[in-house]
Amino acid sequence: MTKSNYKLTKEDFNQINKRSMFTYQLGWNYERMQGSGYLYMILPQLRKMYGDGTPELKEMMQLHTQFFNTSPFFHTIITGIDLALEESDGVASKDAVNGIKTGLMGPFAPIGDSIFGSLVPAIMGTIAATLASEGNPLGILLWVGVAVVYDIFRWKQLEVAYKEGTKLITTMRDRLTALVDAASVMGVFMMGALIATMINFEVTWAPTVGEKVIDIQDLLNSIFPRLVPAIFTGFVFWLLGRKGMTSTKAILIIIALAVGLSAIGHFVFGMA
């Protein structure tokens, strides 16, 4: 048996999407990263295509447990193309499927992470945080709305990719580099704007030299406005790069610093 006679249905797409959204990253590991999650996501459909316990099923299962890692916002595009090939040619599509997965996971990773992991959250998060800091409930609703749009996008792309098949690769190939560069620049720009507008870290210490009071914060602003928030943000990035450091530990350290420095009385720390 080299060719599948099974045709995917709407129920199959729904099942794959549910596994994609709720279980895809649960099997993540340092050896094969998303490999086991990818197999689990499409395993019921592989069984329908090749039959339980068949050599063909075992062969394709081994293929899909190999190293795989890409953006969780785009991985079902690869899955859709993969399933279209396997449905058409069965095990004979093995090399093509492996090439598709290997060739697209790299380009899709920075695009998805830059746009959906950095760019959109930076822009919409800034707007939502600003509204929320002003007591406007639209801030929460906006952020929830963005998450809903994310999920709808992820849900729809699988079937579109399946229908388009390999044509999707040709259509997007020439635009991948430009999209990555543009999204990266825009993401960095928005992160800089977020730091400058939302991080409030001021030095309130004003020592007296003779009869003159020196306002340290005004002095820093004359050198580089919002310099202290930028330095503190750099410290947080450095902290996250330390061995054994986790985001939870970093948050606790930031809270401890905020309370401790505020208690000293020479600093004001918080969100603008």
Side-chain angles (χ1 to χ4, degrees):
M1 177 181 177
T2 59
K3 185 174 181 179
S4 169
N5 294 318
Y6 181 77
K7 298 298 180 184
L8 296 178
T9 65
K10 191 72 174 179
E11 288 71 24
D12 288 316
F13 294 129
N14 289 340
Q15 184 178 43
I16 293 170
N17 275 321
K18 289 176 183 176
R19 292 192 173 203
S20 164
M21 297 180 72
F22 299 114
T23 67
Y24 179 65
Q25 296 273 37
L26 295 181
W28 195 97
N29 61 81
Y30 283 104
E31 181 182 3
R32 302 188 181 185
M33 295 198 173
Q34 299 168 347
S36 59
Y38 189 96
L39 172 62
Y40 178 76
M41 181 175 62
I42 62 172
L43 185 56
Q45 286 65 46
L46 294 180
R47 285 174 169 161
K48 292 176 182 179
M49 288 181 181
Y50 302 109
D52 276 326
T54 62
E56 291 82 7
L57 176 63
K58 293 178 180 178
E59 186 175 352
M60 297 310 288
M61 286 178 67
Q62 288 177 347
L63 170 68
H64 291 308
T65 55
Q66 298 305 309
F67 177 90
F68 184 78
N69 189 47
T70 194
S71 171
F73 301 104
F74 278 158
H75 70 278
T76 49
I77 294 180
I78 298 175
T79 306
I81 300 172
D82 165 13
L83 292 175
L85 290 171
E86 291 194 55
E87 183 184 86
S88 174
D89 299 326
V91 177
S93 67
K94 180 178 179 179
D95 290 340
V97 168
N98 190 46
I100 292 292
K101 292 177 66 177
T102 304
L104 289 185
M105 68 178 179
F108 278 169
I111 292 176
D113 292 346
S114 297
I115 296 176
F116 296 102
S118 299
L119 179 60
V120 175
I123 296 174
M124 304 308 295
T126 300
I127 298 173
T130 301
L131 291 172
S133 66
E134 296 172 352
N136 191 332
L138 287 177
I140 297 177
L141 297 176
L142 177 62
W143 193 243
V144 173
V146 170
V148 171
V149 171
Y150 268 22
D151 290 341
I152 293 174
F153 172 77
R154 292 179 61 183
W155 191 276
K156 294 292 185 181
Q157 65 181 273
L158 172 66
E159 196 167 354
V160 172
Y162 166 78
K163 290 178 180 178
E164 291 297 318
T166 54
K167 290 190 297 182
L168 194 63
I169 304 171
T170 306
T171 303
M172 297 187 68
R173 181 178 296 162
D174 295 336
R175 298 183 176 91
L176 291 179
T177 302
L179 282 172
V180 171
D181 292 342
S184 299
V185 171
M186 190 64 175
V188 171
F189 174 80
M190 289 308 302
M191 286 304 297
L194 180 64
I195 293 169
T197 57
M198 299 303 296
I199 306 299
N200 182 27
F201 195 155
E202 295 184 357
V203 179
T204 57
W205 182 40
T208 301
V209 179
E211 297 182 354
K212 183 174 180 59
V213 177
I214 300 177
D215 191 323
I216 301 297
Q217 186 60 53
D218 282 345
L219 182 61
L220 292 173
N221 288 339
S222 66
I223 300 172
F224 195 138
R226 310 299 293 177
L227 175 62
V228 180
I231 292 174
F232 186 76
T233 303
F235 163 73
V236 173
F237 273 98
W238 173 84
L239 191 64
L240 290 170
R242 298 303 91 196
K243 185 177 181 180
M245 181 58 61
T246 64
S247 57
T248 301
K249 292 179 182 178
I251 290 171
L252 293 176
I253 291 173
I254 292 170
I255 292 174
L257 283 173
V259 173
L261 293 175
S262 297
I264 293 174
H266 293 325
F267 301 90
V268 174
F269 180 80
M271 297 295 290

